[in-house]
Amino acid sequence: LSQGLSVLVGLGLCVTMLGLGCAVELGQLGQQLRRPVGLLLALLGQFVAMPLLAFLLALIFALDEVAAVAVLLCGCCPGGNLSNLMSVLVDGDMNLSIIMTASSTLLALFLMPLCLWIYSRHWINTAVVQLLPLGAVSLTLGSTLLPIGLGVLIRYRHPRAADLLVKISLWSLLVTLVILFILTGTMLGPDLLAHIPASVYAIAVLMPLAGYALGYGLATVFKMPPHCRRTVSLETGCQNVQLCTAILKLTFPPELIGGMYMFPLLYALFQSAEAGLFVLVYKMYGRDSYKQDTLGEEEDTDISYKKLKEEEVADTSYGTVTTEEPNSIQMEPTQTAL
């Protein structure tokens, strides 16, 4: 079962990264590079706000070194594919969402090991931090570039196949998480739950919620429109839990990391539930205002169009005689039908 978990985690990560690459269009990427707001927001959200949040929560809840490393690793991960799906459901900016996910994944190759090295200094004298495989983390991140690049190529050459692969990757995310929960429960059962402290569950609940709030506040500081604020909020709180699980499972000795490789799965559970509540609240209360804004824009367009037509009719008419003063006769154009 342990070997099966390792293979499943590796395959799930490859499919997810392939789907991410298939969602990126080169034209959109060029536009974002010319005006790199999405890149800046991904940098600030994923590698400034979230690692600092994970570090503070680990200190506040006085986690031991193993749990702290698991939380830090999850906080330093790039954005995940769940945010792309949720951005669609809240009428967000899909181009911004995809660019933020892709750029944070590329930035993670250099910034994720750096953030881990900086924030793990508090536990430097512990065995798990001394064995922190920063090289293996970088190697795992580097291995994700191949499926991402392949996905971008498929999007460029075969757009329809890319759309299908994006859908497959989203479904694989759900299936992989479900299978991991089932296999882990089969292997460890109630012993695993008994060894995970309540503080870890509390962090798994608070961390994505705080991430959503930080992302929304960050977008507000940049004075972005409401639909972009919702997008940045989801992008900041949603982490790539497949990557975090893969690193914990494939790079740390199992006798050292223990059941803490379950933390990203718990994070995935609560980040999905809280994002689902976000979507539900938007559908109940925010959707109407979004429709009214869209309708108002359409009405303005119709009025402008009517005015334009009236002006066109006035300008193209000829032949009408009008008198504005008693002693003056003025010729006005009127339209003659042939």
Side-chain angles (χ1 to χ4, degrees):
L1 283 176
S2 180
Q3 292 178 352
L5 277 176
S6 299
V7 172
L8 178 65
V9 166
L11 288 177
L13 181 61
C14 288
V15 173
T16 300
M17 295 297 102
L18 178 64
L20 175 60
C22 288
V24 177
E25 294 186 5
L26 294 178
Q28 297 173 358
L29 186 60
Q31 292 176 2
Q32 292 295 327
L33 290 177
R34 287 191 294 270
R35 187 173 177 269
V37 178
L39 181 65
L40 179 61
L41 289 171
L43 172 65
L44 294 177
Q46 297 294 345
F47 301 109
V48 176
M50 291 303 292
L52 180 60
L53 174 64
F55 175 73
L56 293 177
L57 288 174
L59 290 181
I60 292 171
F61 285 91
L63 298 183
D64 60 67
E65 63 274 11
V66 176
V69 166
V71 171
L72 282 176
L73 190 61
C74 190
C76 295
C77 277
N81 286 35
L82 178 66
S83 58
N84 306 140
L85 176 62
M86 293 300 177
S87 294
V88 174
L89 297 178
V90 298
D91 300 312
D93 189 334
M94 273 307 297
N95 291 336
L96 178 62
S97 177
I98 292 171
I99 290 300
M100 286 187 66
T101 303
S103 58
S104 67
T105 302
L106 297 178
L107 289 171
L109 185 63
F110 307 100
L111 295 181
M112 188 176 175
L114 177 62
C115 290
L116 285 172
W117 181 80
I118 291 173
Y119 288 107
S120 64
R121 299 297 91 191
H122 182 77
W123 299 274
I124 188 61
N125 293 323
T126 60
V128 68
V129 173
Q130 290 176 353
L131 295 176
L132 187 62
L134 295 179
V137 171
S138 299
L139 184 62
T140 304
L141 289 167
S143 66
T144 63
L145 298 180
L146 180 61
I148 291 176
L150 180 60
V152 173
L153 180 62
I154 293 174
R155 166 60 67 181
Y156 179 71
R157 294 288 183 85
H158 308 284
R160 292 185 178 180
D163 292 336
L164 179 62
L165 287 173
V166 170
K167 295 178 181 179
I168 292 175
S169 69
L170 291 175
W171 279 105
S172 70
L173 169 62
L174 176 62
V175 172
T176 301
L177 292 176
V178 171
I179 293 177
L180 283 174
F181 272 113
I182 293 174
L183 290 180
T184 304
T186 303
M187 290 173 60
L188 302 175
D191 292 338
L192 178 62
L193 299 178
H195 286 86
I196 296 180
S199 57
V200 173
Y201 285 96
I203 292 177
V205 173
L206 294 174
M207 192 168 158
L209 191 62
Y212 295 143
L214 286 172
Y216 198 90
L218 185 63
T220 303
V221 171
F222 277 79
K223 298 181 180 180
M224 304 190 75
H227 70 289
C228 291
R229 295 179 189 179
R230 296 192 294 270
T231 303
V232 176
S233 174
L234 290 168
E235 280 294 329
T236 305
C238 290
Q239 301 295 89
N240 192 335
V241 292
Q242 304 98 305
L243 177 62
C244 185
T245 304
I247 292 175
L248 287 173
K249 190 73 177 66
L250 301 178
T251 62
F252 284 94
E255 64 274 8
L256 183 63
I257 200 65
M260 279 301 108
Y261 84 92
M262 278 292 291
F263 177 78
L265 300 180
L266 293 175
Y267 188 95
L269 177 64
F270 289 111
Q271 83 171 2
S272 302
E274 292 166 5
L277 290 176
F278 189 166
V279 172
L280 181 62
V281 171
Y282 172 75
K283 294 293 185 184
M284 293 176 62
Y285 300 104
R287 183 76 176 179
D288 293 336
S289 60
Y290 175 79
K291 288 182 177 179
Q292 289 175 1
D293 293 341
T294 306
L295 183 60
E297 292 176 0
E298 293 176 353
E299 290 175 351
D300 292 341
T301 304
D302 292 339
I303 292 172
S304 300
Y305 178 74
K306 289 177 182 178
K307 290 180 178 179
L308 179 62
K309 294 300 289 181
E310 291 173 358
E311 291 174 359
E312 287 178 356
V313 171
D315 291 338
T316 58
S317 60
Y318 58 91
T320 303
V321 179
T322 60
T323 59
E324 294 182 353
E325 297 179 3
N327 297 324
S328 67
I329 298 177
Q330 186 176 3
M331 296 294 294
E332 272 197 3
T334 187
Q335 187 170 0
T336 302
L338 297 179

